[in-house]
């Protein structure tokens, strides 16, 4: 089954404790990205990648890191999480410039 | 910067009836894509339908169709024969053409289906 997977689905952590949210797609898609969804602010892009070793900032990159060492994986790293990063995070992928984004199931992150 | 506006925070429709959700956008680009995504209570973002700006024909996917008015920068979603499973938040989204990846989303419309 073609899909985008994220792990973990739910995470509660404390301020300053480094964490990684994994994202994997099995569709051989070139483009991958991360979004966060917040009440009243909607969905905003954090980072995206057009191919292996190629990443770029989205609209709200501060406090996040990403890497794209393999085509199928695009982890999101929070090196020192803060409470304002409490949010619902989505990974998405698409196969080509004209393609549609397909989203993973989301990761609910709470930073205390 | 592109903006996407959904002017209806909430809509309600009787089961089996037809409902139209509104979306307008602002862009200076000529090449772009428009999407409608559905977000049910599970919070999954599900692609409903897409429209390429260069296509004059309105996209249709089963009970879902769009009314794309390029000059007016309007992109409404029509849901025919509404079903209880259609209850969800619906988001309109815009993406420029080429390698640009970021989707710009509207704030969403909460669709309620009355049995």
């Amino acid at each position: 089954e073609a899909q985008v997977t994220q792990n973990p689905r739910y995470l509660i952590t404390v301020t300053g404790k480094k964490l990684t949210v994994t994202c994997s797609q099995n569709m051989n898609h070139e483009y991958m990205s991360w979004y966060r969804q917040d009440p009243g602010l909607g969905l905003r892009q954090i980072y995206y990648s057009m191919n292996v070793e190629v990443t770029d900032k989205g609209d709200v990159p501060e406090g996040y890191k990403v890497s794209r060492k393999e085509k199928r994986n695009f982890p999101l790293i929070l090196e020192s999480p803060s409470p304002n990063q409490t949010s619902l995070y989505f990974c998405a992928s698409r196969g080509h410039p004209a393609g549609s984004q397909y989203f993973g199931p989301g990761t609910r992150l709470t930073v205390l | 910067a592109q903006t996407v506006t959904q002017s209806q925070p909430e809509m309600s429709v009787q089961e089996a009836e037809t409902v139209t959700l509104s979306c307008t956008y602002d862009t200076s680009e000529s090449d772009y894509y428009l999407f409608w995504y559905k977000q049910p209570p599970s919070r999954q973002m599900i692609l409903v339908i897409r429209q390429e700006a260069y296509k004059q024909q309105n996209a249709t996917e089963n009970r879902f169709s769009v009314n794309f008015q390029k000059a007016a920068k309007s992109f409404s979603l029509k849901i025919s024969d509404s079903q209880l499973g259609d209850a969800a938040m619906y988001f309109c989204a815009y993406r420029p053409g080429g390698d640009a990846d970021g989707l710009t989303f509207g704030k969403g419309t909460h669709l309620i289906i009355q049995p």
Side-chain angles (χ1 to χ4, degrees):
Chain A
E1 180 190 354
Q3 59 183 347
V4 180
T5 57
Q6 296 178 226
N7 282 291
R9 296 288 312 281
Y10 302 91
L11 179 60
I12 301 174
T13 189
V14 295
T15 299
K17 186 176 181 182
K18 180 178 179 180
L19 66 92
T20 299
V21 184
T22 64
C23 173
S24 183
Q25 49 91 7
N26 63 0
M27 297 169 279
N28 201 35
H29 282 176
E30 300 204 339
Y31 296 77
M32 297 185 74
S33 56
W34 279 101
Y35 290 81
R36 61 178 288 175
Q37 184 179 23
D38 302 289
L41 296 175
L43 288 102
R44 296 172 292 167
Q45 191 182 54
I46 302 170
Y47 268 97
Y48 66 96
S49 169
M50 291 191 289
N51 214 325
V52 175
E53 303 294 359
V54 180
T55 63
D56 208 347
K57 297 177 180 178
D59 298 321
V60 288
E62 294 77 20
Y64 304 95
K65 285 178 58 177
V66 293
S67 68
R68 188 94 181 272
K69 292 182 169 48
E70 304 168 280
K71 196 172 186 178
R72 63 182 292 130
N73 297 323
F74 190 46
L76 179 69
I77 303 157
L78 285 72
E79 299 226 324
S80 183
S82 62
N84 64 12
Q85 292 178 299
T86 292
S87 187
L88 177 61
Y89 290 86
F90 289 99
C91 181
S93 75
R94 66 182 168 109
H96 53 83
S100 301
Q101 268 98 334
Y102 293 92
F103 285 79
T107 294
R108 171 74 69 183
L109 172 65
T110 302
V111 183
L112 302 175
Chain B
Q2 299 90 359
T3 58
V4 176
T5 302
Q6 294 179 248
S7 58
Q8 306 150 317
E10 187 172 279
M11 294 280 285
S12 182
V13 64
Q14 291 289 131
E15 194 176 3
E17 298 292 307
T18 295
V19 64
T20 298
L21 308 184
S22 301
C23 173
T24 58
Y25 59 95
D26 187 23
T27 184
S28 58
E29 305 282 341
S30 59
D31 179 24
Y32 54 88
Y33 304 88
L34 296 164
F35 306 87
W36 280 97
Y37 283 90
K38 170 185 178 181
Q39 188 175 43
S42 67
R43 306 299 262 172
Q44 173 84 46
M45 292 291 288
I46 302 166
L47 177 65
V48 175
I49 199 166
R50 62 173 268 157
Q51 175 80 40
E52 293 86 347
Y54 64 83
K55 288 187 177 178
Q56 293 191 344
Q57 187 173 6
N58 289 324
T60 298
E61 289 285 345
N62 301 313
R63 297 182 295 107
F64 298 86
S65 61
V66 299
N67 183 5
F68 174 47
Q69 300 289 328
K70 191 172 184 178
K73 297 181 181 175
S74 171
F75 182 60
S76 60
L77 174 70
K78 185 172 83 170
I79 306 174
S80 304
D81 185 25
S82 299
Q83 301 175 0
L84 294 177
D86 295 334
M89 284 291 291
Y90 286 81
F91 293 93
C92 179
Y94 163 97
R95 192 184 79 224
D99 278 339
D101 187 72
L103 286 165
T104 299
F105 285 88
K107 294 293 173 64
T109 296
H110 182 210
L111 179 63
I112 298 167
I113 310 294
Q114 305 278 6

